[in-house]
Structures are given as C-alpha cells and as structure tokens.
Amino acid sequence: MPPVLSVLTLPLRSASVVCVCACIFFKDTLITLNLCIITTACHLFVTHTYVPRKACHSSCAPNTIDSASLLPFGVILNSEIECPASFSATHRLHSKSLSNEENLKLFGKCNNPNGHGHNYKVVVTVHGEVDPVTGMVMNLTDLKKYMEEAIMKPLDHKNLDLDVPYFADIVSTTENVAVYIWENLQKFLPVGVLYKVKVYKTDSNIVVYKGE
C-alpha cells in the first residue's frame, strides 16, 4: 500500500488546539486517524504518512474489517513549522577586495557611502518528528525566544556593517545575512532541527538558505 500523504497549512493569529478524527477505507483496510494539533501565530505545516501495520485478512469482505486484527497506525513521520520575524537595518554593499570603482560598478546605488536601509522579513523553518508526549516538534515559545536572541537583538535597528562584527569583513548581502542568521540559530537549536532560513530584503530580493 502506498503511503497516503497530506499537507496541512494553518496560519493562525492566536494559540489554539485542533482535533481531527477520520476513518479511511483503503483496499479493505480501515485507517483510523486521531490528531491533536497545537498551533500558534506561526504557520504549521504538517506532513503525515499513514501506513497500516497489519493489513485486513484476505477473507474479509469488501469494506468490512475485523478491528481486532489491526494494530494502531497513523504515524506522523515529519512536520515543519515556519515562524516569521521582521527587522529594520541599514548597510552598504561594499567589498574590501575590490576598488571603489569596481564596487560602484558592481553594486550601483547600493554602494552609496552613507548606506541605505531595508525592512527585512525572515521566515525560519524547523522540522522533525512530533514528540508523542508533547505533540510538538519543539516548543514554539522557545523558538521565538531563540529568534529574538539570534535575529532581533543583533540585527534590528542596526548598521549591519558597523554594529555587527560578523560583517566587518563580509559583504552584507542578503545571502550573507541568511548565512549569519542560520549560524546564529544553530547556537540555540538542537542539531538537525533547523531546516531553512528565508530572508526577504525586498519583495523581489529573496534568499533561501539551508545550511551546508
């Protein structure tokens, strides 16, 4: 039996609990699904794979099932949670490895000596198996605290080139901002939980970084 896949997207404004119960017949096999999903203002993307652990006996009539012959199934293999943040910062695109003329030609108006600002948007995605005890990939309150420490405190209302030591010798492009955020978040998150970092510099300048 091929796995049955579904993706659920829930953009919510406040914390809530969604309980779902469903019964599915597939090739004379009854699949019972019970879910209790805890959601917050972050977007929750849940990818479920349901695999029956014991199929119906061959003697079963169509659409009938001996419930005693089945073991519990309906296993959540992996879930993704997206959590957004926004910060404002100024910077100048300028490489110390290039001449002033080369920098101006390469970066144009973004090489303005006095710098320029952006309202950045960041979307952090974590993933992993849902803990059978807590029902979560991770505590979203903790994730928000980590994002506050790794993103907001060092970057919000800062001059990236002057206030953030990381960019003293690294050009503060959107690509490098995404790398910086990834590396900072890795200091707080368990190994393997961070999936990707998406940075919106503008509506048309977007970078997605998934680590090395």
Side-chain angles (χ1 to χ4, degrees), residues 16 43 112 123 141:
S16 62
H43 299 289
N112 174 30
V123 179
T141 300

Side-chain angles (χ1 to χ4, degrees), residues 22-121:
C23 295
I24 304 171
F25 280 100
F26 186 86
K27 293 185 177 180
D28 301 332
T29 301
L30 176 64
I31 298 177
T32 302
L33 166 64
N34 292 284
L35 289 178
C36 185
I37 304 171
I38 300 175
T39 62
T40 70
C42 296
H43 299 289
L44 176 63
F45 295 87
V46 187
T47 303
H48 316 286
T49 302
Y50 305 103
V51 181
R53 294 181 181 171
K54 189 173 183 180
C56 175
H57 294 305
S58 58
S59 59
C60 290
N63 294 331
T64 64
I65 191 69
D66 177 7
S67 60
S69 69
L70 292 177
L71 293 175
F73 47 79
V75 181
I76 299 178
L77 294 184
N78 193 66
S79 296
E80 294 179 7
I81 299 173
E82 288 188 351
C83 210
S86 298
F87 67 93
S88 299
T90 186
H91 74 147
R92 179 194 185 197
L93 294 183
H94 186 89
S95 173
K96 295 180 179 179
S97 300
L98 302 175
S99 67
N100 291 336
E101 291 75 14
E102 290 172 324
N103 272 291
L104 182 59
K105 181 179 179 179
L106 178 62
F107 298 119
K109 63 181 181 181
C110 293
N111 184 242
N112 174 30
N114 295 320
H116 61 281
H118 297 283
N119 292 317
Y120 292 88
K121 178 183 176 182

Side-chain angles (χ1 to χ4, degrees), residues 172-192:
S172 53
T173 58
T174 313
E175 292 88 339
N176 284 331
V177 170
V179 173
Y180 170 83
I181 292 173
W182 174 281
E183 293 180 354
N184 249 17
L185 283 170
Q186 290 282 43
K187 301 173 184 177
F188 300 95
L189 294 171
V191 176

